[in-house]
Amino acid sequence: MPVPCLLCTESCSPAEKEALLKHMVLEHKLVISDVKLIADFQRYILYWKKRFAEHPITEFCSVIRTNSEGPVERQEDYFLLCDVLPEDRVLREQLQQKRLEAILEQQQKERNETIFHRTCMFCTEEFTGNRSFLLNHMAKEHDFNMGLPDNIVFCEQFLDTLQRKLDNLQCLYCERTFRDRTTLKDHMRKKQHRRINAKNQEYDRFYVINYLELGKTWEEVQSEDDREMMEDHDDDWSDWQDHPVCAVCLFCEHQSETMDRIYSHMEETHGFDLHKIKAELGLNFYEQVKLVNFIRREIHQCQCYGCQDKFSSKTQVLEHLMEAKHVMALTEKHKWDQPQYYFPTYENDALLCALSDSESESESCEQRKDIPVIAEDISNLQALKQKSVLNQLLKGKR
Protein backbone atom coordinates (compact mmCIF):
# COMPACT_ATOMS: atom_id res chain seq x y z
CA MET A 1 0.00 0.00 0.00
CA PRO A 2 1.50 3.42 -0.99
CA VAL A 3 2.38 5.95 1.69
CA PRO A 4 0.84 9.35 0.89
CA CYS A 5 2.23 12.82 1.44
CA LEU A 6 0.53 14.54 4.38
CA LEU A 7 -0.33 17.66 2.37
CA CYS A 8 -0.80 16.66 -1.27
CA THR A 9 -1.59 13.74 -3.58
CA GLU A 10 2.03 12.63 -3.91
CA SER A 11 2.74 9.09 -2.65
CA CYS A 12 5.48 6.46 -2.64
CA SER A 13 6.11 2.88 -1.64
CA PRO A 14 7.07 2.11 2.00
CA ALA A 15 10.62 1.39 0.83
CA GLU A 16 10.92 4.96 -0.48
CA LYS A 17 10.30 6.63 2.87
CA GLU A 18 13.34 8.90 2.58
CA ALA A 19 12.13 10.25 -0.76
CA LEU A 20 8.73 11.08 0.74
CA LEU A 21 10.31 12.84 3.73
CA LYS A 22 12.50 14.86 1.38
CA HIS A 23 9.45 15.79 -0.70
CA MET A 24 7.54 17.05 2.36
CA VAL A 25 10.50 19.18 3.46
CA LEU A 26 11.20 20.72 0.04
CA GLU A 27 7.64 21.15 -1.17
CA HIS A 28 5.70 21.79 2.06
CA LYS A 29 8.36 22.81 4.58
CA LEU A 30 7.13 20.01 6.84
CA VAL A 31 9.58 18.17 9.10
CA ILE A 32 8.76 15.04 11.15
CA SER A 33 11.06 14.63 14.14
CA ASP A 34 12.70 11.36 15.17
CA VAL A 35 11.32 9.42 12.20
CA LYS A 36 13.50 6.42 12.99
CA LEU A 37 11.68 6.01 16.31
CA ILE A 38 8.26 5.68 14.69
CA ALA A 39 7.32 2.00 14.93
CA ASP A 40 4.90 1.97 11.99
CA PHE A 41 5.63 4.83 9.59
CA GLN A 42 2.77 4.00 7.23
CA ARG A 43 0.08 4.03 9.94
CA TYR A 44 1.62 7.17 11.41
CA ILE A 45 1.36 9.00 8.09
CA LEU A 46 -2.19 7.78 7.42
CA TYR A 47 -3.30 9.00 10.84
CA TRP A 48 -1.89 12.49 10.37
CA LYS A 49 -3.10 12.66 6.76
CA LYS A 50 -6.64 12.34 8.10
CA ARG A 51 -6.06 14.84 10.92
CA PHE A 52 -4.50 17.43 8.59
CA ALA A 53 -7.57 17.16 6.37
CA GLU A 54 -9.78 18.01 9.36
CA HIS A 55 -7.82 20.93 10.84
CA PRO A 56 -5.10 23.42 9.80
CA ILE A 57 -1.52 22.22 10.10
CA THR A 58 -0.75 25.01 12.58
CA GLU A 59 -3.02 23.34 15.16
CA PHE A 60 -0.60 20.40 15.34
CA CYS A 61 2.83 21.65 14.29
CA SER A 62 5.29 24.07 15.80
CA VAL A 63 6.21 26.86 13.38
CA ILE A 64 9.93 27.57 13.02
CA ARG A 65 10.96 30.70 11.12
CA THR A 66 14.38 30.60 9.48
CA ASN A 67 16.55 33.71 9.05
CA SER A 68 14.18 35.54 11.38
CA GLU A 69 16.47 38.56 11.70
CA GLY A 70 17.12 38.86 7.96
CA PRO A 71 15.09 40.41 5.15
CA VAL A 72 11.43 39.33 5.04
CA GLU A 73 11.76 37.93 1.54
CA ARG A 74 14.45 35.51 2.76
CA GLN A 75 12.46 34.24 5.74
CA GLU A 76 10.72 30.86 5.57
CA ASP A 77 8.31 29.09 7.91
CA TYR A 78 8.90 25.38 8.57
CA PHE A 79 6.40 23.15 10.34
CA LEU A 80 7.66 20.64 12.92
CA LEU A 81 5.55 17.59 13.80
CA CYS A 82 6.95 15.97 16.94
CA ASP A 83 6.00 14.15 20.13
CA VAL A 84 5.92 17.37 22.14
CA LEU A 85 2.33 17.36 20.96
CA PRO A 86 0.49 14.98 23.33
CA GLU A 87 -1.58 13.52 20.50
CA ASP A 88 1.57 12.68 18.55
CA ARG A 89 3.22 11.15 21.61
CA VAL A 90 0.21 8.94 22.32
CA LEU A 91 0.12 7.83 18.68
CA ARG A 92 3.80 6.88 18.71
CA GLU A 93 3.38 4.94 21.96
CA GLN A 94 0.38 3.06 20.57
CA LEU A 95 2.23 2.13 17.38
CA GLN A 96 5.21 1.01 19.43
CA GLN A 97 2.98 -1.14 21.64
CA LYS A 98 1.34 -2.83 18.65
CA ARG A 99 4.69 -3.56 17.05
CA LEU A 100 6.10 -4.92 20.29
CA GLU A 101 3.16 -7.29 20.71
CA ALA A 102 3.57 -8.55 17.14
CA ILE A 103 7.31 -9.08 17.63
CA LEU A 104 6.79 -10.94 20.91
CA GLU A 105 4.23 -13.23 19.30
CA GLN A 106 6.66 -14.00 16.49
CA GLN A 107 9.52 -14.61 18.91
CA GLN A 108 7.44 -16.91 21.09
CA LYS A 109 6.30 -18.85 18.05
CA GLU A 110 9.91 -19.37 16.94
CA ARG A 111 11.05 -20.43 20.40
CA ASN A 112 8.35 -23.10 20.58
CA GLU A 113 8.36 -24.38 16.99
CA THR A 114 9.36 -27.99 16.25
CA ILE A 115 9.56 -27.87 12.43
CA PHE A 116 12.91 -26.07 12.24
CA HIS A 117 15.35 -27.67 9.80
CA ARG A 118 18.75 -26.32 8.84
CA THR A 119 22.38 -27.26 8.22
CA CYS A 120 25.12 -25.72 10.32
CA MET A 121 26.94 -22.82 8.64
CA PHE A 122 30.31 -24.12 9.74
CA CYS A 123 29.98 -27.86 9.10
CA THR A 124 27.70 -30.35 7.33
CA GLU A 125 25.67 -31.46 10.36
CA GLU A 126 21.90 -31.05 10.01
CA PHE A 127 19.45 -30.14 12.76
CA THR A 128 15.70 -30.74 12.93
CA GLY A 129 13.09 -29.84 15.53
CA ASN A 130 13.75 -26.69 17.54
CA ARG A 131 16.26 -24.00 16.60
CA SER A 132 17.92 -24.43 20.00
CA PHE A 133 19.73 -27.56 18.79
CA LEU A 134 21.50 -25.69 15.98
CA LEU A 135 22.26 -22.58 18.05
CA ASN A 136 23.58 -24.74 20.86
CA HIS A 137 25.75 -26.66 18.43
CA MET A 138 27.26 -23.51 16.85
CA ALA A 139 28.08 -22.05 20.26
CA LYS A 140 29.64 -25.20 21.75
CA GLU A 141 31.29 -26.77 18.72
CA HIS A 142 32.27 -23.67 16.73
CA ASP A 143 32.46 -21.03 19.47
CA PHE A 144 30.17 -18.75 17.45
CA ASN A 145 28.75 -15.88 19.50
CA MET A 146 25.60 -14.13 18.27
CA GLY A 147 24.37 -12.81 21.61
CA LEU A 148 21.71 -14.43 23.77
CA PRO A 149 19.95 -16.69 21.25
CA ASP A 150 16.70 -16.93 23.19
CA ASN A 151 16.18 -13.20 22.57
CA ILE A 152 16.48 -13.50 18.79
CA VAL A 153 13.53 -12.97 16.48
CA PHE A 154 13.20 -13.76 12.74
CA CYS A 155 15.85 -16.43 13.32
CA GLU A 156 15.56 -17.98 9.85
CA GLN A 157 16.16 -14.61 8.18
CA PHE A 158 19.03 -13.94 10.57
CA LEU A 159 20.72 -17.22 9.66
CA ASP A 160 20.05 -16.57 5.95
CA THR A 161 21.84 -13.21 6.27
CA LEU A 162 24.85 -14.80 7.96
CA GLN A 163 24.95 -17.66 5.45
CA ARG A 164 24.86 -15.22 2.54
CA LYS A 165 27.87 -13.36 3.91
CA LEU A 166 29.82 -16.59 4.35
CA ASP A 167 28.90 -17.68 0.81
CA ASN A 168 30.35 -14.37 -0.38
CA LEU A 169 33.54 -15.21 1.54
CA GLN A 170 33.01 -12.36 3.98
CA CYS A 171 34.12 -12.43 7.62
CA LEU A 172 31.10 -11.98 9.87
CA TYR A 173 32.98 -9.76 12.31
CA CYS A 174 35.44 -7.53 10.43
CA GLU A 175 33.48 -8.00 7.16
CA ARG A 176 36.60 -8.35 5.02
CA THR A 177 36.31 -10.51 1.91
CA PHE A 178 38.74 -13.39 1.27
CA ARG A 179 39.82 -15.32 -1.83
CA ASP A 180 38.48 -18.72 -0.76
CA ARG A 181 36.55 -20.45 2.00
CA THR A 182 39.61 -22.08 3.58
CA THR A 183 41.34 -18.73 4.02
CA LEU A 184 38.15 -17.26 5.47
CA LYS A 185 37.79 -20.10 7.98
CA ASP A 186 41.43 -19.80 9.06
CA HIS A 187 41.04 -16.05 9.47
CA MET A 188 37.92 -16.31 11.64
CA ARG A 189 39.49 -19.02 13.75
CA LYS A 190 42.89 -17.33 14.29
CA LYS A 191 41.51 -13.84 14.81
CA GLN A 192 38.67 -15.05 17.04
CA HIS A 193 36.18 -13.44 14.67
CA ARG A 194 33.47 -16.02 15.27
CA ARG A 195 30.86 -13.43 16.17
CA ILE A 196 28.85 -10.78 14.37
CA ASN A 197 29.81 -7.15 13.93
CA ALA A 198 27.92 -5.33 16.70
CA LYS A 199 28.14 -2.02 14.83
CA ASN A 200 26.35 -3.36 11.75
CA GLN A 201 22.77 -2.09 12.06
CA GLU A 202 21.62 -4.73 9.59
CA TYR A 203 21.39 -7.08 12.57
CA ASP A 204 19.31 -4.79 14.79
CA ARG A 205 15.96 -6.13 13.58
CA PHE A 206 16.86 -9.64 14.76
CA TYR A 207 17.15 -8.73 18.46
CA VAL A 208 14.05 -8.21 20.59
CA ILE A 209 15.71 -5.54 22.71
CA ASN A 210 15.63 -3.17 19.74
CA TYR A 211 11.84 -3.27 19.92
CA LEU A 212 11.71 -2.83 23.68
CA GLU A 213 13.71 0.38 24.08
CA LEU A 214 13.10 3.04 21.45
CA GLY A 215 16.16 4.70 19.97
CA LYS A 216 18.66 2.31 21.55
CA THR A 217 20.24 -0.67 19.83
CA TRP A 218 21.26 -3.92 21.48
CA GLU A 219 24.89 -2.99 20.88
CA GLU A 220 24.44 0.28 22.82
CA VAL A 221 22.75 -1.53 25.69
CA GLN A 222 25.59 -4.06 25.75
CA SER A 223 28.14 -1.21 25.76
CA GLU A 224 26.38 0.36 28.74
CA ASP A 225 26.63 -2.92 30.64
CA ASP A 226 30.30 -3.22 29.70
CA ARG A 227 31.04 0.33 30.89
CA GLU A 228 29.40 -0.36 34.23
CA MET A 229 31.55 -3.44 34.66
CA MET A 230 34.72 -1.54 33.67
CA GLU A 231 33.96 1.34 36.03
CA ASP A 232 33.42 -1.06 38.94
CA HIS A 233 37.08 -2.14 39.06
CA ASP A 234 37.61 -1.93 42.81
CA ASP A 235 37.65 -5.45 44.18
CA ASP A 236 37.81 -4.31 47.80
CA TRP A 237 34.27 -4.72 49.15
CA SER A 238 35.27 -4.40 52.81
CA ASP A 239 33.55 -1.00 53.15
CA TRP A 240 30.30 -2.20 51.55
CA GLN A 241 27.22 -0.90 53.32
CA ASP A 242 23.73 -2.04 52.44
CA HIS A 243 21.55 1.06 52.41
CA PRO A 244 17.91 0.47 53.30
CA VAL A 245 15.41 0.88 50.47
CA CYS A 246 12.31 2.94 51.21
CA ALA A 247 9.07 1.65 49.73
CA VAL A 248 6.16 4.05 49.25
CA CYS A 249 2.55 3.18 50.06
CA LEU A 250 0.17 2.69 47.13
CA PHE A 251 -2.32 5.15 48.58
CA CYS A 252 -0.39 7.85 50.46
CA GLU A 253 3.09 9.29 50.94
CA HIS A 254 4.00 6.98 53.81
CA GLN A 255 7.40 5.28 53.45
CA SER A 256 8.92 2.31 55.23
CA GLU A 257 12.39 0.81 55.21
CA THR A 258 11.10 -2.75 55.34
CA MET A 259 8.51 -4.45 53.19
CA ASP A 260 6.73 -5.96 56.19
CA ARG A 261 6.11 -2.48 57.57
CA ILE A 262 4.77 -1.09 54.30
CA TYR A 263 2.48 -4.10 53.87
CA SER A 264 1.25 -3.68 57.47
CA HIS A 265 0.70 0.03 56.93
CA MET A 266 -1.41 -0.52 53.79
CA GLU A 267 -3.49 -3.17 55.52
CA GLU A 268 -4.02 -1.31 58.81
CA THR A 269 -4.43 2.21 57.41
CA HIS A 270 -6.10 1.60 54.08
CA GLY A 271 -7.54 -1.92 54.40
CA PHE A 272 -5.51 -3.16 51.43
CA ASP A 273 -4.04 -6.68 51.72
CA LEU A 274 -1.80 -7.43 48.74
CA HIS A 275 -0.87 -10.86 50.09
CA LYS A 276 -4.56 -11.82 50.26
CA ILE A 277 -5.21 -10.66 46.68
CA LYS A 278 -2.15 -12.54 45.48
CA ALA A 279 -3.30 -15.75 47.17
CA GLU A 280 -6.95 -15.51 46.08
CA LEU A 281 -6.15 -14.75 42.44
CA GLY A 282 -3.05 -16.95 42.29
CA LEU A 283 -0.96 -14.09 40.92
CA ASN A 284 2.55 -14.80 39.72
CA PHE A 285 5.35 -12.25 39.95
CA TYR A 286 4.60 -10.51 36.63
CA GLU A 287 0.88 -10.25 37.34
CA GLN A 288 1.67 -8.65 40.70
CA VAL A 289 3.96 -6.16 38.95
CA LYS A 290 1.22 -5.19 36.52
CA LEU A 291 -1.36 -4.90 39.30
CA VAL A 292 0.84 -2.63 41.43
CA ASN A 293 1.66 -0.40 38.44
CA PHE A 294 -2.02 -0.29 37.46
CA ILE A 295 -3.13 0.77 40.96
CA ARG A 296 -0.39 3.39 41.17
CA ARG A 297 -1.40 4.84 37.79
CA GLU A 298 -5.10 4.89 38.65
CA ILE A 299 -4.47 6.65 41.97
CA HIS A 300 -2.10 9.11 40.28
CA GLN A 301 -4.82 9.91 37.73
CA CYS A 302 -7.40 10.38 40.52
CA GLN A 303 -9.45 7.40 39.43
CA CYS A 304 -10.91 4.48 41.38
CA TYR A 305 -9.28 1.24 40.25
CA GLY A 306 -12.40 -0.69 41.21
CA CYS A 307 -15.30 1.14 39.56
CA GLN A 308 -13.28 3.50 37.30
CA ASP A 309 -15.02 6.64 38.67
CA LYS A 310 -12.90 9.79 38.31
CA PHE A 311 -12.34 12.48 40.94
CA SER A 312 -10.76 15.90 41.10
CA SER A 313 -8.11 15.03 43.68
CA LYS A 314 -6.24 12.13 45.17
CA THR A 315 -7.85 12.81 48.56
CA GLN A 316 -11.30 12.34 47.05
CA VAL A 317 -10.23 9.04 45.49
CA LEU A 318 -9.01 7.70 48.83
CA GLU A 319 -12.21 8.81 50.55
CA HIS A 320 -14.26 7.09 47.86
CA LEU A 321 -12.25 3.86 48.18
CA MET A 322 -12.97 3.70 51.89
CA GLU A 323 -16.64 4.78 51.74
CA ALA A 324 -17.55 2.56 48.77
CA LYS A 325 -15.40 -0.27 50.15
CA HIS A 326 -13.55 -0.54 46.83
CA VAL A 327 -10.08 -0.91 48.36
CA MET A 328 -10.10 -4.67 47.80
CA ALA A 329 -12.55 -4.58 44.87
CA LEU A 330 -10.41 -4.91 41.76
CA THR A 331 -11.76 -4.26 38.30
CA GLU A 332 -11.82 -7.07 35.68
CA LYS A 333 -8.42 -8.71 35.25
CA HIS A 334 -8.17 -7.95 31.54
CA LYS A 335 -8.12 -4.22 32.34
CA TRP A 336 -4.93 -4.38 34.39
CA ASP A 337 -3.29 -7.55 33.09
CA GLN A 338 -1.87 -5.75 30.06
CA PRO A 339 1.71 -5.33 28.78
CA GLN A 340 1.69 -1.56 29.36
CA TYR A 341 1.49 -2.14 33.14
CA TYR A 342 4.67 -4.18 33.17
CA PHE A 343 6.57 -0.89 33.06
CA PRO A 344 6.80 1.01 36.38
CA THR A 345 4.49 3.96 36.92
CA TYR A 346 7.11 5.54 39.19
CA GLU A 347 10.82 5.22 38.57
CA ASN A 348 12.72 3.06 41.07
CA ASP A 349 9.54 1.77 42.72
CA ALA A 350 11.01 -0.27 45.59
CA LEU A 351 7.68 -1.98 46.22
CA LEU A 352 8.09 -3.90 42.97
CA CYS A 353 11.37 -5.36 44.21
CA ALA A 354 9.62 -6.97 47.19
CA LEU A 355 7.12 -8.96 45.16
CA SER A 356 7.56 -12.72 45.11
CA ASP A 357 6.31 -15.53 42.91
CA SER A 358 3.41 -17.64 44.14
CA GLU A 359 4.98 -20.89 43.00
CA SER A 360 6.29 -23.26 45.63
CA GLU A 361 9.84 -24.55 45.68
CA SER A 362 8.63 -28.02 44.71
CA GLU A 363 6.89 -26.63 41.62
CA SER A 364 10.01 -24.71 40.67
CA CYS A 365 12.14 -27.81 41.06
CA GLU A 366 9.72 -29.82 38.93
CA GLN A 367 10.07 -27.30 36.12
CA ARG A 368 13.82 -27.81 36.03
CA LYS A 369 13.54 -31.35 34.69
CA ASP A 370 14.36 -32.24 31.07
CA ILE A 371 15.73 -28.82 30.22
CA PRO A 372 17.44 -28.33 26.81
CA VAL A 373 20.36 -25.93 26.50
CA ILE A 374 20.22 -23.04 24.04
CA ALA A 375 23.57 -21.79 22.77
CA GLU A 376 25.39 -19.61 25.28
CA ASP A 377 22.46 -19.65 27.73
CA ILE A 378 23.14 -22.73 29.85
CA SER A 379 20.62 -21.82 32.51
CA ASN A 380 17.22 -23.32 33.24
CA LEU A 381 15.59 -22.80 29.84
CA GLN A 382 12.22 -24.40 30.52
CA ALA A 383 11.74 -22.30 33.63
CA LEU A 384 13.09 -19.30 31.77
CA LYS A 385 10.50 -19.73 29.02
CA GLN A 386 7.66 -20.06 31.51
CA LYS A 387 8.79 -17.11 33.60
CA SER A 388 10.12 -14.96 30.75
CA VAL A 389 9.07 -11.32 30.79
CA LEU A 390 8.37 -11.57 27.07
CA ASN A 391 6.25 -14.66 27.57
CA GLN A 392 4.22 -12.91 30.23
CA LEU A 393 3.65 -9.90 27.99
CA LEU A 394 2.02 -12.20 25.48
CA LYS A 395 -0.48 -13.79 27.87
CA GLY A 396 -3.04 -11.10 27.26
CA LYS A 397 -3.02 -11.84 23.53
CA ARG A 398 -3.87 -15.52 23.77
Side-chain angles (χ1 to χ4, degrees):
M1 181 180 178
V3 183
C5 171
L6 290 175
L7 297 169
C8 71
T9 57
E10 189 77 16
S11 64
C12 69
S13 68
E16 298 174 318
K17 178 173 70 174
E18 297 300 326
L20 179 63
L21 294 171
K22 183 177 180 181
H23 161 81
M24 289 191 289
V25 171
L26 296 178
E27 298 298 326
H28 306 291
K29 304 295 187 290
L30 174 61
V31 178
I32 301 176
S33 72
D34 296 322
V35 175
K36 68 177 182 178
L37 301 184
I38 299 174
D40 191 329
F41 181 71
Q42 187 175 43
R43 290 187 179 181
Y44 180 87
I45 292 295
L46 292 175
Y47 176 88
W48 283 117
K49 176 79 172 178
K50 180 176 181 295
R51 295 292 282 143
F52 282 7
E54 297 171 346
H55 300 279
I57 187 174
T58 50
E59 288 194 14
F60 307 108
C61 297
S62 302
V63 180
I64 302 173
R65 177 161 296 174
T66 61
N67 198 25
S68 59
E69 298 182 358
V72 176
E73 63 272 13
R74 299 188 62 182
Q75 295 179 1
E76 290 184 301
D77 286 343
Y78 281 82
F79 304 97
L80 176 64
L81 182 60
C82 63
D83 60 1
V84 172
L85 179 70
E87 184 177 354
D88 185 89
R89 182 174 64 254
V90 170
L91 174 61
R92 292 180 185 231
E93 291 175 351
Q94 290 175 344
L95 294 176
Q96 164 66 8
Q97 185 66 36
K98 289 179 180 179
R99 185 179 70 166
L100 174 59
E101 291 175 358
I103 290 298
L104 294 179
E105 286 182 353
Q106 175 66 25
Q107 188 229 21
Q108 190 70 14
K109 176 184 175 182
E110 293 180 17
R111 289 166 62 181
N112 294 334
E113 73 175 356
T114 58
I115 58 174
F116 181 89
H117 178 81
R118 199 175 186 99
T119 302
C120 176
M121 295 186 294
F122 305 107
C123 67
T124 58
E125 190 168 349
E126 293 187 6
F127 295 86
T128 303
N130 188 274
R131 66 181 185 174
S132 62
F133 300 116
L134 171 60
L135 300 179
N136 183 48
H137 164 82
M138 289 195 299
K140 296 181 67 176
E141 301 300 327
H142 304 290
D143 195 27
F144 180 66
N145 181 7
M146 55 196 291
L148 185 61
D150 213 28
N151 286 339
I152 290 173
V153 68
F154 305 122
C155 185
E156 285 278 11
Q157 297 177 32
F158 192 10
L159 294 173
D160 287 341
T161 300
L162 299 178
Q163 186 65 61
R164 185 166 59 252
K165 290 180 179 292
L166 292 178
D167 292 342
N168 292 331
L169 304 178
Q170 187 178 32
C171 174
L172 298 178
Y173 179 70
C174 68
E175 302 186 336
R176 289 173 51 196
T177 302
F178 294 84
R179 64 176 183 271
D180 55 52
R181 193 170 182 83
T182 301
T183 305
L184 171 62
K185 290 174 66 177
D186 289 343
H187 162 81
M188 293 180 67
R189 176 177 55 82
K190 293 177 181 178
K191 296 291 185 179
Q192 296 296 308
H193 282 189
R194 289 181 174 175
R195 58 188 186 275
I196 64 173
N197 180 2
K199 299 185 182 300
N200 189 337
Q201 295 183 353
E202 181 182 8
Y203 301 128
D204 289 351
R205 63 186 296 264
F206 302 120
Y207 289 86
V208 171
I209 192 166
N210 292 314
Y211 303 92
L212 295 173
E213 194 163 0
L214 283 176
K216 188 174 293 187
T217 66
W218 64 274
E219 189 266 335
E220 290 171 329
V221 174
Q222 182 65 49
S223 297
E224 289 178 355
D225 295 340
D226 291 344
R227 284 197 299 272
E228 290 176 1
M229 293 176 65
M230 292 294 291
E231 291 170 359
D232 189 19
H233 53 78
D234 187 0
D235 292 331
D236 184 9
W237 291 49
S238 59
D239 59 347
W240 173 270
Q241 292 183 354
D242 191 9
H243 297 283
V245 178
C246 288
V248 182
C249 172
L250 286 171
F251 306 96
C252 66
E253 306 303 320
H254 179 80
Q255 299 182 33
S256 294
E257 293 183 356
T258 67
M259 295 303 123
D260 287 340
R261 289 179 182 177
I262 201 68
Y263 283 135
S264 297
H265 163 80
M266 289 193 293
E267 184 175 356
E268 295 170 3
T269 306
H270 305 288
F272 182 80
D273 189 343
L274 183 58
H275 292 307
K276 183 178 179 180
I277 291 177
K278 166 189 165 184
E280 290 180 349
L281 299 182
L283 302 183
N284 61 29
F285 172 77
Y286 300 105
E287 289 170 332
Q288 293 174 68
V289 167
K290 286 183 277 190
L291 178 59
V292 167
N293 288 328
F294 170 76
I295 293 176
R296 282 215 189 277
R297 186 168 303 184
E298 294 292 282
I299 297 296
H300 177 74
Q301 295 176 345
C302 301
Q303 182 166 301
C304 174
Y305 54 80
C307 64
Q308 305 295 291
D309 285 352
K310 292 187 177 181
F311 300 87
S312 58
S313 68
K314 184 175 178 180
T315 301
Q316 291 181 357
V317 179
L318 298 180
E319 291 175 352
H320 163 80
L321 287 170
M322 298 300 290
E323 292 173 358
K325 298 183 179 181
H326 285 182
V327 176
M328 293 289 286
L330 299 180
T331 186
E332 296 90 341
K333 185 176 180 180
H334 68 86
K335 290 187 178 180
W336 58 263
D337 191 12
Q338 299 183 33
Q340 69 188 78
Y341 296 117
Y342 176 77
F343 304 99
T345 300
Y346 297 144
E347 187 176 1
N348 300 323
D349 189 347
L351 184 59
L352 298 175
C353 302
L355 303 176
S356 60
D357 208 319
S358 59
E359 293 181 346
S360 65
E361 284 298 321
S362 60
E363 289 174 330
S364 300
C365 293
E366 184 66 24
Q367 291 174 354
R368 296 189 175 96
K369 296 179 180 179
D370 302 322
I371 301 168
V373 176
I374 283 193
E376 70 187 43
D377 182 16
I378 41 186
S379 63
N380 183 344
L381 180 63
Q382 180 113 1
L384 176 63
K385 286 183 178 180
Q386 293 179 358
K387 296 177 181 289
S388 169
V389 172
L390 306 179
N391 189 35
Q392 292 296 324
L393 288 175
L394 283 173
K395 278 195 171 181
K397 300 290 292 181
R398 292 174 182 169

